[in-house]
Amino acid sequence: MDVGSKFSWRGGTDMTKGEETRRQILVAAAPLFNQRGFAGCSMGDVMEATGLEKGGLYRHFSSKEELAAEALQYAVGESIRLRTHVAEPSLDALAVLRAYIERFVTAPSAVAGGCPLMNGAIDHDDGNIALRAVVRKGFADWKSRLAGLIEQGKAERVIRRTVDADWLADTIIASLEGALMLSRIQRSLDPLRHAQRSLEIVLESVAA
Amino acid sequence: MDVGSKFSWRGGTDMTKGEETRRQILVAAAPLFNQRGFAGCSMGDVMEATGLEKGGLYRHFSSKEELAAEALQYAVGESIRLRTHVAEPSLDALAVLRAYIERFVTAPSAVAGGCPLMNGAIDHDDGNIALRAVVRKGFADWKSRLAGLIEQGKAERVIRRTVDADWLADTIIASLEGALMLSRIQRSLDPLRHAQRSLEIVLESVAA
Amino acid sequence: MDVGSKFSWRGGTDMTKGEETRRQILVAAAPLFNQRGFAGCSMGDVMEATGLEKGGLYRHFSSKEELAAEALQYAVGESIRLRTHVAEPSLDALAVLRAYIERFVTAPSAVAGGCPLMNGAIDHDDGNIALRAVVRKGFADWKSRLAGLIEQGKAERVIRRTVDADWLADTIIASLEGALMLSRIQRSLDPLRHAQRSLEIVLESVAA
Amino acid sequence: MDVGSKFSWRGGTDMTKGEETRRQILVAAAPLFNQRGFAGCSMGDVMEATGLEKGGLYRHFSSKEELAAEALQYAVGESIRLRTHVAEPSLDALAVLRAYIERFVTAPSAVAGGCPLMNGAIDHDDGNIALRAVVRKGFADWKSRLAGLIEQGKAERVIRRTVDADWLADTIIASLEGALMLSRIQRSLDPLRHAQRSLEIVLESVAA
DNA sequence: ACTCACGGGACAGCCCGTTCTT
DNA sequence: AAGAACGGGCTGTCCCGTGAGT
């Protein structure tokens, strides 16, 4: 038997074996649900991807919906982290905004299958309130980070005082997500580059 | 009996009974697939919505995929028609562009469940090339109408010569679609209004 | 005979258009049922083969079973006619018997898919008494022709008086049918040739 | 934990529960497919016969075809075992051959519905190569056992050296199978007895 | 903590047969 | 005499979830 199923440190990470397995399930399931949608991805697909059997899966998640919700949350978290990670902390707020946009254009999704927020928004728009809630929270999180940055820009006097942070954040998110969708179906980077150009015009119009 | 040899008049339109039924199936199925996605909508759902039995359905469409493809095409066609219908032909191109945007913001979708183009783009991004093709063609159609209008604006000297019609069309589509998605999950019209404001800035920057 | 229910002569044959169609259906359906069996052949298959629609088929046959029964009867009739057709009426009975065997070995089936009698015997062994009856009658017919020939041989003093015609007819039929089955699965003519050799031994043992 | 590490003893045989169930499915399915043919026997029939539900069945066999193939193989194996089982090892080869024939005549099939080899040969003659292969192998197996015995008879000097084992084996198989078919449709043992008589003539002609 | 085994329900598609129309 | 349209049932397969076993 092992040294204590519940309280043992595993290779420096303080995870039990169960928590470790649980995480691996999410890592494997996230791209599947992101690509095929909730209805289009079966538990069998997850079984295949994880190498686990039904029982193994249902020990960690009480239903397909719960698994999908957590996988979505994981994917959303990874995406937002990637998109709002500050490479150079010395930049002013406007420059950081531009860096975020550049990052999105060059590395739009952290998980295979496109942006989990947009995919989730479309997939769970009607029905499935649990998954919907995850998406809403994800967008709210992303937006609040952008809005905070905009407010900071106003404080730094690089962005005009009169600018509505809510509006600008929405504009950035909508343009990028819309462009990403176009980019994916057309299998071309042009729409993303075009969005970047348009956002530059908007940013210039708000610069102090 | 009736005079029209081969065709009988059904409600004023010269359709055979089969064509009429076929059309009604599409009208009923389009919002279902648009709301629930391909995998999330069963033939049983379509049966219920149309009042037809399996046999009746499969007489007109040889597979679920074929039905979904035609339903999508129908929905896409309706949407684009609504979005690019000219109310006042006397306006200049820039004004028409603004009217299109206003129309999108106030009446974003012709079919229940949001924009079939965006929904289709997300739903069939991975796999299902037939449905993908319908979406691509839909976007291309919409875009070419916008681009044509932009070129016309350039000819009318209301839009600057140097403007890239491709870029501007992508910008309009991406902003509106992205905003519509935000609008739907947040159950708020704000994102659409915000997009309209941003697009106004862009339009002013290209006006001659 | 009637002169044609509708009183019209069709190209020299006294068939109405309906009877002609009916016959064509049987000609097309016989090999299908012979190859795929009753359960394995759908009315759709017959539609495809005949070029007719459901309605056209069901005008001539009230059910799939009736159609299959008549198609089987047609195929059986053709087979027996081919197998018991006398080429040279001058031969003695034993020589005719040998000619029959030779014919069977070189041209075992008149309809694609093997011997309809054997196929029918296996396919309708359990259940479907109508089709079973057709098969029984077919075998009885074939056997009585052989037995008649054997009796004739006895009268002609080329076959010994003591020979049991029933036994000899069964022997010929069983050997040939069994060999035909082997021949078909092994895709080789050897079993048929082997049967011919064995039957020759038997025939020699009964020759007067 | 129990002592038998991996296997628990089920009724004296070391089979896991799954293997046991799997076997029972085959035992129940074999006569069904043998009687009704592949197309004529539904998975629902197998469910009824086994008492299992769909889920239970598809756990052990990934398709109806796979199930049918294994059921056929089981039935074929049982039949050949029954037909070539040596009761008295002291007999010479010719006597064993006669014993085999006698056995076939008195107990022609080990599984309800007649000889699975013949049924399979007819049912899968056109199409379904997997099932066809099982039948071919079955016949080849049976034939090689007979041919071996014939060669042994030649070594024992009870069968003439010049006899073609291939021919004699084919003759025995074809006669018996053909007679069995006649026997089943006519619901009479006569054809089998007649075949035995004919084979006796052939055997006498090859005896040394 | 995880596999094996199974239940029961749903889904897409096919099939036979009938009715309406021409 | 034949096609077009439709009903309703069935089939093979998949899928989610549970519970015994290990």
Side-chain angles (χ1 to χ4, degrees), chain C residues 42-43 54 58 64:
Chain C
S42 76
M43 291 300 281
K54 279 267 172 64
Y58 276 89
K64 181 189 177 185

Side-chain angles (χ1 to χ4, degrees), chain C residues 146-165:
Chain C
L146 291 180
L149 198 59
I150 292 163
E151 293 298 341
Q152 183 190 325
K154 292 202 272 188
E156 290 173 359
R157 300 192 184 272
V158 293
I159 294 177
R160 283 211 303 268
R161 278 272 155 72
T162 53
V163 169
D164 179 0

Side-chain angles (χ1 to χ4, degrees), chain C residues 96-168:
Chain C
V96 172
L97 231 38
R98 286 192 172 100
Y100 283 178
I101 293 168
E102 170 68 19
R103 166 92 45 79
F104 192 101
V105 169
T106 53
S109 65
V111 183
C115 173
L117 280 170
M118 183 166 48
N119 293 344
I122 299 300
D123 201 18
H124 315 115
D125 189 9
D126 311 84
N128 213 325
I129 55 170
L131 293 246
R132 241 184 79 95
V134 174
V135 174
R136 293 183 76 147
K137 219 191 133 294
F139 272 119
D141 186 14
W142 187 14
K143 187 169 163 182
S144 79
R145 294 198 193 202
L146 291 180
L149 198 59
I150 292 163
E151 293 298 341
Q152 183 190 325
K154 292 202 272 188
E156 290 173 359
R157 300 192 184 272
V158 293
I159 294 177
R160 283 211 303 268
R161 278 272 155 72
T162 53
V163 169
D164 179 0
D166 204 44
W167 159 75
L168 185 52

Side-chain angles (χ1 to χ4, degrees), chain D residues 25-35 67 70-72 74-75 111-112 116:
Chain D
I25 293 172
L26 293 178
V27 171
L32 291 181
F33 281 111
N34 199 37
Q35 286 170 321
L67 201 171
E70 294 210 30
L72 177 56
Y74 166 79
V111 183

Side-chain angles (χ1 to χ4, degrees), chain C residues 1 5 18 34 46-47 49 55 59 87 109 112 117 127 133:
Chain C
M1 309 280 141
S5 60
N34 200 36
V46 180
M47 285 167 57
R59 172 153 316 277
S109 65
L117 280 170

Side-chain angles (χ1 to χ4, degrees), chain A residues 7 16 35 42 45 50 54 57-58 65 89 96 100-101 115 119 159-160 177 185 187:
Chain A
F7 302 105
T16 64
Q35 286 171 318
S42 75
D45 294 334
T50 57
K54 279 268 171 63
L57 256 36
Y58 276 90
E65 199 168 315
V96 171
Y100 283 179
I101 293 168
C115 173
N119 292 346
I159 296 178
R160 281 210 305 269
E177 291 285 9
I185 20 139
R187 307 278 202 235

Side-chain angles (χ1 to χ4, degrees), chain C residues 23-81:
Chain C
R23 177 172 182 80
Q24 283 175 351
I25 293 171
L26 292 178
V27 172
L32 290 181
F33 280 111
N34 200 36
Q35 287 171 319
R36 310 179 194 181
F38 180 75
C41 175
S42 76
M43 291 300 281
D45 295 334
V46 180
M47 285 167 57
E48 200 179 355
T50 56
L52 289 173
E53 296 298 314
K54 279 267 172 64
L57 255 37
Y58 276 89
R59 172 153 316 277
H60 298 281
F61 305 94
S62 64
S63 70
K64 181 189 177 185
E65 199 167 318
E66 183 181 316
L67 200 171
E70 295 211 29
L72 177 57
Q73 201 146 38
Y74 166 79
V76 166
E78 290 296 300
S79 292
I80 295 182
R81 189 171 310 132

